[in-house]
Amino acid sequence: MSGLASAAQALTPAKVLGLARRVVVKIGSSLLVDRATNRLRADWLKALAEDVAALRAEGKEVVLVSSGAIALGRRRLAVPTGVLKLEESQAAAAVGQIQLAHAYQSVLEGFSLTVAQILLTLSDTEERRRYLNARATLRTLLGLGAVPVVNENDTVATNEIRFGDNDRLAARVAQMISADCLILFSDIDGLYTGDPNRDAGAAHVPLVAHLTPEIEAMAAAAGAKTAQAMGSGGMATKLLAARIAVGAGAHMLIADGRPEHPVRRLATGEARATVFLAEASPRTARKAWIAGSLSPLGSFAIDDGAVAALKRGMSLLPAGVKAVEGLFQRGDAVRVCDLEGREIARGLSAYGSEDAALIKGRKSGEIEDALGYRGRDEMIHRDDLVLTQRPETG
């Protein structure tokens, strides 16, 4: 299979964006910062903020993943042009992050939007407990109506433990929050069959149904990055991001973000892009991952009332748990069994085994008294639980 989608499968950027409820938008350095002066493109950023406000007015949740801190910081510190040493990049990022955060706060609050800054490292998306904490923070911010602005924490990340580009960071954020749309804005309007700067016959690819070797070859032919690029990502990194995003259930768009109002241009059909089709919905992808990709480290035995509640799509509450087995930490996968030992479901426990044993059989309102802190009301939230089989009946 070539990976190119047929006309019958056509899903336009406007339709993808129109159907999305949770959108991650990645903004490259070359869009946010003028290459010649290393100054912020203030008018462009204000137009983007207006686009974000329009998405929020439609009821969509929005997360921005933004580059630009190092470029802004090196100008402020008067660091000479050329390749930066790691410590110079970290110093520039420390200064630039303040400018970047202030810029986003200024433009978004002009549209009555609350802004939050989140700095992540590669470890925050790969180490289980830190991943859960970051996900919980992002989801809480979205639930409260804020617009999180995410960037890699370049001030502490080393070459060995950093993403190196915000394309993959954006994909990890989309995966983390179960987004259904990821937009990578750059200085090119999508994937081409070759390098459009060198090959006059290179054709734009509007839709990719599958990430095949042929598609990967196109990315390699497109080159590392375009001549105008300031950041660290090229087409190859965008395909790595696509693998993460579509596997997590998010459609991904690669689009030219240089003109003002880049989101609106996609929504109205004025701008073209390459659409990478998601393999499943975010919810289905996450459920499949929980059911088939994680090895359970423990189990809960639950009563008949809890079994019935799970089959109705409810969360597992501590009151329905009668026994806790195994040694596990918060966020680890566990089996959920009926009192006869038959597996009913699998899920990610909101508590480690020691705390779970202390609150089993208790009402949610008694958790704080039992543990000394206020945890989650659920032992396993329904978003983190998948039924694996129904209990047998006589």
Side-chain angles (χ1 to χ4, degrees):
M1 182 176 291
S2 69
L4 301 179
S6 68
Q9 297 171 295
L11 189 59
T12 65
K15 188 171 183 180
V16 169
L17 194 54
L19 294 173
R21 307 316 305 165
R22 183 173 287 171
V23 182
V24 175
V25 180
K26 178 263 179 179
I27 301 148
S29 296
S30 60
L31 306 179
L32 194 62
V33 181
D34 183 89
R35 179 179 175 83
T37 64
N38 275 343
R39 291 180 181 274
L40 192 74
R41 296 178 64 203
D43 290 342
W44 182 92
L45 184 58
K46 184 177 180 180
L48 175 72
E50 187 175 348
D51 290 354
V52 171
L55 293 178
R56 292 290 296 116
E58 295 172 5
K60 302 181 191 299
E61 296 175 337
V62 183
V63 175
L64 302 178
V65 177
S66 178
S67 304
I70 293 176
L72 291 172
R74 73 180 298 167
R75 174 185 173 276
R76 188 79 174 186
L77 293 172
V79 177
T81 59
V83 179
L84 297 179
K85 299 176 183 178
L86 175 62
E87 58 270 23
E88 290 175 330
S89 294
Q90 292 174 325
V95 173
Q97 279 294 348
I98 295 176
Q99 294 178 269
L100 193 63
H102 177 73
Y104 275 109
Q105 181 183 37
S106 177
V107 296
L108 288 169
E109 286 191 347
F111 295 95
S112 301
L113 296 175
T114 300
V115 186
Q117 183 185 45
I118 303 287
L119 299 178
L120 296 176
T121 65
L122 183 62
S123 300
D124 292 324
T125 66
E126 293 190 342
E127 201 280 317
R128 188 83 193 128
R129 252 57 61 185
R130 292 165 70 177
Y131 171 92
L132 289 172
N133 287 337
R135 185 182 70 165
T137 299
L138 282 165
R139 287 187 168 185
T140 300
L141 286 168
L142 291 172
L144 293 172
V147 178
V149 178
V150 180
N151 197 0
E152 182 162 14
N153 194 350
D154 290 301
T155 58
V156 299
T158 66
N159 286 331
E160 292 77 21
I161 61 167
R162 64 193 304 267
F163 285 96
D165 66 87
N166 274 358
D167 294 327
R168 285 182 295 166
L169 173 59
R172 289 295 185 194
V173 169
Q175 179 186 50
M176 184 181 290
I177 65 171
S178 298
D180 40 22
C181 178
L182 166 63
I183 305 173
L184 300 185
F185 279 127
S186 187
D187 52 8
I188 191 167
D189 59 358
L191 177 67
Y192 283 76
T193 56
D195 185 346
N197 294 315
R198 302 176 183 176
D199 180 4
H204 181 264
V205 179
L207 195 62
V208 175
H210 305 283
L211 290 171
T212 63
E214 179 185 359
I215 297 298
E216 293 175 350
M218 291 179 189
K225 11 177 184 176
T226 62
Q228 294 77 27
M230 295 178 64
S232 55
M235 191 56 67
T237 67
K238 288 173 174 52
L239 254 65
L240 291 174
R243 286 199 177 278
I244 297 168
V246 301
H251 297 305
M252 192 185 92
L253 311 180
I254 298 176
D256 187 349
R258 289 173 294 181
E260 292 186 3
H261 294 290
V263 180
R264 187 173 71 190
R265 285 165 50 83
L266 286 175
T268 60
E270 182 180 353
R272 68 180 183 180
T274 296
V275 178
F276 293 80
L277 297 181
E279 296 175 357
S281 70
R283 180 180 177 86
T284 300
R286 180 169 174 77
K287 297 281 188 177
W289 172 69
I290 292 172
S293 300
L294 299 177
S295 299
L297 299 180
S299 65
F300 295 143
I302 64 175
D303 61 26
D304 292 344
V307 170
L310 296 190
K311 290 167 64 175
R312 294 196 304 271
M314 307 295 286
S315 299
L316 176 62
L317 302 179
V321 178
K322 298 304 178 185
V324 178
E325 295 184 359
L327 294 174
F328 52 88
Q329 298 183 15
R330 183 174 74 90
D332 284 335
V334 296
R335 299 170 67 236
V336 180
C337 303
D338 64 15
L339 296 179
E340 301 298 322
R342 293 171 295 213
E343 182 178 304
I344 305 302
R346 292 189 180 192
L348 307 181
S349 178
Y351 294 92
S353 52
E354 291 186 6
D355 286 352
L358 291 174
I359 63 173
K360 66 178 175 63
R362 293 178 178 265
K363 296 180 179 179
S364 296
E366 300 173 348
I367 292 175
E368 187 171 5
D369 290 339
L371 300 181
Y373 68 91
R374 175 65 188 273
R376 295 185 65 168
D377 291 340
E378 310 88 3
M379 193 75 91
I380 303 178
H381 192 276
R382 62 183 181 181
D383 289 345
D384 296 329
L385 187 142
V386 56
L387 294 178
T388 52
Q389 67 180 55
R390 298 176 182 272
E392 298 175 4
T393 58

